[in-house]
Amino acid sequence: CQNSIVSIINKQTIIDKKQASEIVKKTKGKKALISSIKKKKYNQKPPCPFDLTTLQIEAYRTIKSSPKQTLALAQQLYTSGRISYPRTSSQKLPPALGYQKILKKLAKQSQFTKLANELLEKPTLTPNEGKKTDPAHPAIYPTGLPFKGEGKAKALYDLITHRFLATFSDPSTRETITLEIDVNKEIFLASGTRTIERGWHKFYGRFAIYKEETLPEVTKDQEVKVKKITSHEKETQPPKRYTPASVIKELEKRNLGTKATRAQIIDSLYQRGYIQDTALKVTDLGLKTINTLKKYCPDILDEDLTKHFETELEKIREKKRKGEKVL
């Protein structure tokens, strides 16, 4: 640590300002020694194939595409034959799709050649599938046809293709190192995580965003140079506001809307002036609308009513209920 600046925190939870001041006074000018070094390796599984919701969430995170825009772009890629049907809730890739056939087509595209050929050398191709299923459609996958467009459409095509490749790759291996540093019997902690084997990170390419926090090499009882010990006074923070992507995830969790309508629901709230900004804020109009409905027609705001209709429509689709009866 002699030539490195490492952020270190006190091991114990301190809620008293006087106690914090006493610790700073006790440790000022004292030697700092490495008292413990703990290393832990763990594997990160490859990601699951995309269903529509996870595609919308990931596209928002990586290429800053709104859920509505992502659905529109995915529809364009589908109608031009570049990807499979996007309105799916499945995270399954059945073998009948022909994994090798798709990979061989992708290998003809220079940007995917090396990655696709590496997967084709594997003795077996088994995707890391998720739990979600859809009786009508498989997860979203590239067909192998190249896409020569630009902008967000190209970025979305690349995201879907890299995700497809990553699902067939090996786990990545990461290592977390935790140091305990003794300064006059006060124990401070420093931790960092690094990648040892990239695994699926390589196949996910620029979309694999993760922190690399490498600590300097040290040995037990080694003295480290203390640049400064300070106390920080902080306040508890309120939960973060929803984004267009995270609110879609919440709608799915509550079984509100469908995979095809959730993006439109969010867009309608924007268009009608009920919400604003990407960190979602309710407008005065939205708040007054909600309060008025709550007072005069609370059933409309009850999410159980929406769930009821969603369930009934699903039963009609599955031929378990008659449409006339539901009406």
Side-chain angles (χ1 to χ4, degrees):
C1 290
Q2 300 296 341
N3 300 317
S4 302
I5 298 175
V6 179
S7 178
I8 297 169
I9 62 169
N10 193 275
K11 186 176 182 180
Q12 60 179 308
T13 301
I14 302 165
I15 59 174
D16 183 75
K17 189 174 182 179
K18 182 180 178 182
Q19 183 187 6
S21 299
E22 288 173 353
I23 291 172
V24 172
K25 185 178 179 181
K26 180 182 176 182
T27 55
K28 189 175 182 180
K30 302 297 182 180
K31 283 186 177 182
L33 301 174
I34 302 292
S35 60
S36 171
I37 303 172
K38 295 178 182 176
K39 295 183 179 182
K40 182 181 179 182
K41 289 183 182 178
Y42 61 95
N43 288 334
Q44 279 185 332
K45 285 184 177 181
C48 299
F50 280 134
D51 63 294
L52 179 58
T53 299
T54 52
L55 173 63
Q56 289 171 318
I57 293 169
E58 192 72 345
Y60 187 84
R61 181 183 74 88
T62 58
I63 65 174
K64 305 305 177 189
S65 175
S66 71
K68 182 186 178 184
Q69 184 182 31
T70 296
L71 180 55
L73 293 173
Q75 184 66 25
Q76 291 173 22
L77 291 173
Y78 165 66
T79 54
S80 66
R82 267 67 186 181
I83 67 168
S84 62
Y85 189 65
R87 290 176 172 86
T88 176
S89 57
S90 175
Q91 293 177 324
K92 308 287 185 183
L93 291 172
L97 298 177
Y99 309 144
Q100 284 200 347
K101 183 180 178 182
I102 296 171
L103 288 171
K104 285 176 181 177
K105 287 182 179 180
L106 290 174
K108 294 177 182 178
Q109 301 182 45
S110 58
Q111 70 181 109
F112 303 122
T113 301
K114 188 176 179 181
L115 297 175
N117 283 334
E118 188 173 329
L119 290 176
L120 286 167
E121 290 175 3
K122 292 170 74 78
T124 57
L125 289 169
T126 306
N128 180 44
E129 297 179 314
K131 295 180 180 179
K132 294 160 67 176
T133 61
D134 186 328
H137 304 284
I140 301 168
Y141 63 90
T143 61
L145 289 179
F147 181 73
K148 297 179 181 179
E150 296 179 346
K152 289 278 177 75
K154 179 65 166 65
L156 188 67
Y157 174 78
D158 288 350
L159 173 61
I160 292 168
T161 304
H162 277 287
R163 182 76 163 216
F164 176 78
L165 294 170
T167 61
F168 292 97
S169 58
D170 298 322
S172 67
T173 304
R174 304 262 280 164
E175 181 183 60
T176 296
I177 300 176
T178 303
L179 306 178
E180 289 193 357
I181 302 168
D182 187 328
V183 185
N184 196 20
K185 305 301 181 183
E186 288 291 335
I187 304 300
F188 293 82
L189 299 177
S191 63
T193 302
R194 66 190 181 104
T195 301
I196 298 174
E197 295 287 342
R198 290 186 68 196
W200 63 268
H201 292 175
K202 177 174 67 174
F203 290 84
Y204 208 26
R206 64 189 176 96
F207 305 108
I209 302 170
Y210 50 90
K211 273 189 176 183
E212 289 288 334
E213 299 169 314
T214 304
L215 295 181
E217 291 292 332
V218 293
T219 57
K220 195 172 183 300
D221 298 324
Q222 178 181 334
E223 183 179 352
V224 296
K225 183 178 180 181
V226 179
K227 184 178 179 182
K228 183 168 57 175
I229 294 179
T230 58
S231 64
H232 296 275
E233 188 173 347
K234 294 184 177 181
E235 296 178 343
T236 56
Q237 298 297 310
K240 290 183 178 179
R241 292 182 182 273
Y242 282 115
T243 66
S246 65
V247 80
I248 278 186
K249 186 176 182 180
E250 185 68 22
L251 287 173
E252 182 184 55
K253 181 180 173 183
R254 298 189 186 197
N255 198 27
L256 298 171
T258 69
K259 54 186 175 288
T261 62
R262 290 179 187 121
Q264 186 59 50
I265 290 170
I266 307 305
D267 188 62
S268 294
L269 294 176
Y270 276 116
Q271 296 300 324
R272 295 171 187 173
Y274 295 152
I275 59 173
Q276 62 187 14
D277 302 338
T278 52
L280 300 184
K281 295 179 183 177
V282 179
T283 62
D284 287 342
L285 174 62
L287 195 60
K288 287 175 181 177
T289 302
I290 287 292
N291 289 335
T292 302
L293 288 171
K294 191 182 293 183
K295 183 176 180 181
Y296 295 105
C297 195
D299 286 350
I300 292 293
L301 300 181
D302 187 354
E303 63 183 62
D304 286 337
L305 180 67
T306 303
K307 287 179 184 177
H308 167 74
F309 286 125
E310 296 287 0
T311 302
E312 294 289 272
L313 288 170
E314 185 66 16
K315 286 179 179 178
I316 294 172
R317 190 187 69 79
E318 295 172 350
K319 302 188 185 305
K320 293 179 181 179
R321 292 291 301 270
K322 297 285 186 181
E324 295 80 6
K325 180 70 174 175
V326 172
L327 286 173

